[in-house]
Amino acid sequence: MKKLHVKCSVFVFCFCAAHPFNHLIDTLQTEKNKAKKYFNPQKLGDPKYERLPFSIRVLLEAAIRKCDGFYVKQEDVQNILNWEKLQNEAEIPFSPARVLLQDFTGIPALVDLAAMRDAVAKNGIDPNLINPKCPTDLIVDHSLQIDFSKCAIQNAPNPGGGDGHGATQRSVPGRLSSRSSQCGSSRGGCSKGSCSDAPSSSSKAPVVQIENTPLLCPFHLQPVSEQETALKNQEMELIRNKERLQFFKWCSKAFKNVSVVPPDIGSVHQVNLEYLSRVVQESEGFVFPDSVVGTDSHTTMINGLGILGWGVGGIESEAVMLGQPVSLTLPQVVGCKLVGSISTLATSIDIVLGITKHLRQAGISGKFVEFFGPGVSQLSAADRTTIANMCPEYNATVSFFPVDETTLKHFKQTNFAEEKLEVMESYLKAVKLFRSSDDQAEDPHYSEVELLTSLQVLCVCLFIYLFIYLIIYLLNQVGFKGFHIPREKQGILVPFQHEGTEYTLSHGSVVIAAVISCTNNCNPSVMLTAGLLAKKAKEAGLTVKPYIRTSLAPGSGMVTHYLNASGVLPYLSQLGFEVIGYGCATCVGNTAPLPESVVDAIKEGDLVACGVLSGSRHFEGRLCDCVRANYLASPPLVVAYAIAGTVGIDFEKEPLGLNAEGKEVFLKDVWPSKEEVQDVEEHTVVASIFRALRSRIQVEDFTGPFWNNMDVPDSVLFPWDPKSTYIRCPPFFSKLSKEVSVPGSIDNAHALLFLGNKVTTDHISPAGSIARISAAAKYLQSKRLTPREFNSYGARRGNDAVMTRGTFASIKLQNRLIGKTGPKTLHVPSGQMLDVFEAAERYQRDGFPLIILAGKEYGSGSSRDWAAKGPYLLGVRAVIAESFEKMHKNHLVGMGIAPLQFLPGQNADSLELSGKERFSISLPEELTPQQELTVLTSTGKSFSVVTLFENEMDVAFYRHGGLLKYVARSMLQ
């Protein structure tokens, strides 16, 4: 059993005689380097080591190196070594080499640490003791919004924050105002050609007017150069998020082991792949495998480079930052053997989707997957990272590709120093973490083997899928993947005017098309395929209708570099896919509003309009409230669907469009061959691309004077600004005491919500725009902010007042207590229908604890810690559901909320619950994992539930009132 306290002193390597595995220390000799030490598991002399999967060997090495007798014990090392017998049984610790955060999920973690400093200081403890013990990198990438698209400003909100009135116009300083007035063919600007009458460089540039009108060339009244789009979006991002950026910069100075990568560098996953990845880390004279946990489910893509890592919740990440290992059940490892050859017609994404489909059907939920076999050598490093990225889609924990010659070649091409490559190769071979794909004798033992006998995947599968899906979804009942459109209304056409031209919309019309290259589409080959397709389409005379909201969000400057170097970027831009900036935009709902005429047409015909994106999330309404059907596709298909203007097309039989001569142009006519793509890739994806990124980050000249000259306080404690609407000290540590107040039974609780199946974290804690009639909006308006200054829920995750009011604020929430969609619930005692926050506030005032009733897969979707923090602050004590998404279940435990599961075969309907009863749950003083409890209702009915505490540590967190109090309280001992 784990000890029920946390050791928060600074953890350092204990490489002294007292270390229980001191005898395993070995010395690595290389030609160009000094001798380096490392722990060599082979010196255990146990033949079981070479039978372990490579990913388990990484877990074993970490356990050996971090064995301190407290967090990691010698028995943990033996359990991992005995993986074949104890898999899926033994609980083990894992201490990753680093933590990866993005700003949306990272800011709550850092705000909590700042608040924890305050709490311990009030109890007479040195706040300097509160620091991440594990190196932590935070990449600011999620705050980017598409205010400018095609160089027209799209309802750009004023920079928000604090008390004060928002102006209708603002002067944007720096790059934006100085460049925005330029026009000329040399910059790809005004369509009238070169501006001979343009102002000279000495002329005073007009200020940028932040209003709902296009920015025009003052001489020809034509839109300004599309190349300015990214600059304008970036400038708006910096100004709008100044408070958040100041807090991040303070964190980078005040906390040890915190590194912040500001905006305009790249998305978290690209920066992790291109810059942060090391494969082999060095510290205190020792070398050891790189590993990472991140606050994003797609952290898994780093496994494609032989770096073990996966996504955890914000609450778990805080624990790791504070020195506590991740606790996991020793996983089963499925070996996925790849044989056969790749079809010349398949893109990398097609291969990925084919493997994803196979693994999804294999039932590998919660398991590690490790790839081996001769087919692996045909996959590039980019292919591997893309496959590893898709783990959340087939429910594996990781998809691991051991380091081999292909991996080394990748790092050689990406400007790794020669001496580092030498250390990497020598060390990995010394501890048998290097894989020779041709030597079958090196194949480890696996829990089971999935054999993929052919990698020949054709890209035509998706062409048919969206067409069929649209027909099915139109007919399905309203709900998840269903719109219930009567057959007689499925052929409706709605005419509308846009920029003086008449168009028509129908069910399946594409109104948002976003090419994104941060996760499953970071592979250069598919981005180049999209660019070459755009080039051929333009040359064939095809265009994209101007009302479609198109955008291109590269994962990093590297993507823009090779698109530009290959000559395809101008063609993407001409079709409307211009670079809008670097960061998460469309994926997280930061899409510019659609033209009013389009919105009116959608509403008039009650149309199922569509968004197509090459991102990672596509829940209904996520991209835009009025866009109900969203589809994931590879970058070239996003371009194709944008040209077609509808997903209701069979690409094999129907043309993309007509050229100037009226001739039909089919997709096959403009689809680039694999040879074309490979030729361009070989000549453009070169070491210089990666060298540029590294040099930019290393000199810390991130975003120019704005970031580097930003003033931040030089203080141990953060000076909270009571006027700030972005950063607020959270109440998680209020009334913190040394003694543990054990949670008692839950008596006479009301159900705050009665929910169905597949309630996602988007429903629980929205990340997109803040609706003007929401509880969060009322709060912001009370702070004298206008709706244009609201920003988004994601950007305001550092403010608990906004986030608590935003909990269950999704307009797509289906609460059975009120019988309709919306962020409302029934306040049972009064019979009134109220905002969820207002009802919870009234329940708390009257002293009623709260529970939530739900169906299957509660908390599915992207990791979001506020999906647990919000309910906790609303007063929710327990969630009773048929099943939970594992990460969200862990978050609930981490916040002191009990996850309770109906017994198999039972649910709220079978038990005839109305949700209007009062519920009493008896909790014994000695809680145990997987314990069965009895729930008694006010109607006299009783039923049993099972606690989903996985281990004694989960029980300890719950008893302490959550992980944050657990850690903070240990400092007071």
Side-chain angles (χ1 to χ4, degrees), residues 649-834:
I649 180 175
D650 185 341
F651 283 130
E652 290 188 308
K653 300 177 181 178
E654 300 176 67
L656 277 176
L658 305 177
N659 63 15
E661 290 75 33
K663 180 182 177 182
E664 292 183 339
V665 180
F666 289 81
L667 182 61
K668 63 182 179 181
D669 300 327
V670 295
W671 191 271
S673 68
K674 189 174 182 180
E675 288 73 23
E676 288 178 274
V677 175
Q678 287 179 336
D679 182 66
V680 174
E681 185 174 2
E682 289 174 3
H683 289 86
T684 57
V685 184
V686 293
S688 61
I689 299 170
F690 291 84
R691 189 182 304 119
L693 175 71
R694 284 198 170 87
S695 63
R696 189 178 182 192
I697 292 181
Q698 287 166 348
V699 299
E700 297 187 357
D701 186 18
F702 296 114
T703 52
F706 191 99
W707 172 265
N708 296 329
N709 297 335
M710 185 184 296
D711 291 329
V712 295
D714 185 14
S715 59
V716 175
L717 300 178
F718 184 72
W720 308 98
D721 181 0
K723 294 182 179 180
S724 174
T725 59
Y726 280 99
I727 307 295
R728 216 173 85 122
C729 186
F732 301 128
F733 304 101
S734 61
K735 300 179 181 179
L736 181 68
S737 63
K738 292 183 180 181
E739 295 75 25
V740 180
S741 179
V742 179
S745 296
I746 302 172
D747 297 321
N748 288 316
H750 279 284
L752 179 63
L753 297 162
F754 186 7
L755 306 172
N757 297 333
K758 296 184 181 293
V759 174
T760 72
T761 51
D762 271 21
H763 294 110
I764 305 170
S765 182
S769 60
I770 298 173
R772 297 190 180 192
I773 59 172
S774 64
K778 294 175 185 176
Y779 166 80
L780 293 173
Q781 286 171 335
S782 74
K783 298 296 182 180
R784 303 176 69 189
L785 296 185
T786 66
R788 295 175 69 191
E789 296 173 301
F790 287 173
N791 210 326
S792 66
Y793 283 114
R796 294 191 180 273
R797 283 188 182 180
N799 185 329
D800 63 278
V802 172
M803 298 308 296
T804 305
R805 287 165 173 81
T807 303
F808 297 109
S810 169
I811 62 171
K812 300 297 180 182
L813 185 72
Q814 293 186 343
N815 178 15
R816 295 173 63 179
L817 285 176
I818 61 173
K820 61 181 181 180
T821 301
K824 302 281 185 179
T825 194
L826 177 69
H827 180 254
V828 176
S830 67
Q832 291 181 287
M833 187 170 68
L834 303 172

Side-chain angles (χ1 to χ4, degrees), residues 41 89 146 153 257 288 303 366 380 421 426 500 515 572 581 630-631 639 746 783 828 849-850 865 884 919 922 924 946:
E89 292 182 12
I146 307 177
I153 192 159
N257 277 335
F288 51 94
N303 291 275
S380 67
L421 286 170
S426 299
V515 174
L572 285 164
N630 300 311
Y631 298 98
V639 176
I746 302 172
K783 298 296 182 180
V828 176
L850 297 172
D865 59 342
F884 293 81
F919 300 82
S922 178
V946 176

Side-chain angles (χ1 to χ4, degrees), residues 417-564:
E418 187 174 336
E419 55 271 24
K420 288 186 177 180
L421 286 170
E422 183 185 4
V423 171
M424 180 193 303
E425 184 173 0
S426 299
Y427 169 72
L428 294 175
K429 289 181 176 178
V431 295
K432 290 195 175 294
L433 284 173
F434 189 88
R435 178 80 169 88
S436 174
S437 58
D438 297 328
D439 188 355
Q440 294 187 11
E442 291 188 8
D443 291 350
H445 292 192
Y446 292 110
S447 307
E448 57 186 282
V449 172
E450 287 291 329
L451 179 64
L452 271 69
T453 57
S454 176
L455 292 179
Q456 297 191 25
V457 186
L458 296 179
C459 57
V460 296
C461 58
L462 187 59
F463 302 171
I464 302 171
Y465 285 169
L466 296 196
F467 182 66
I468 295 174
Y469 285 165
L470 176 65
I471 297 173
I472 295 173
Y473 293 169
L474 289 178
L475 291 171
N476 283 353
Q477 292 295 318
V478 173
F480 186 69
K481 297 183 179 179
F483 307 109
H484 196 52
I485 305 298
R487 290 185 182 275
E488 64 273 13
K489 293 185 178 181
Q490 291 185 13
I492 187 174
L493 298 176
V494 181
F496 69 99
Q497 291 282 329
H498 179 74
E499 296 180 352
T501 303
E502 183 173 292
Y503 301 92
T504 58
L505 289 181
S506 62
H507 293 296
S509 288
V510 173
V511 294
I512 295 175
V515 174
I516 303 162
S517 67
C518 60
T519 53
N520 51 313
N521 295 288
C522 66
N523 195 317
S525 66
V526 292
M527 292 299 292
L528 289 172
T529 301
L532 290 170
L533 187 147
K535 179 177 184 292
K536 291 191 172 190
K538 281 299 297 181
E539 291 172 346
L542 300 178
T543 60
V544 174
K545 294 179 177 63
Y547 61 81
I548 298 177
R549 183 70 72 227
T550 50
S551 61
L552 169 58
S556 73
M558 185 194 79
V559 181
T560 304
H561 182 105
Y562 65 67
L563 289 176
N564 189 52

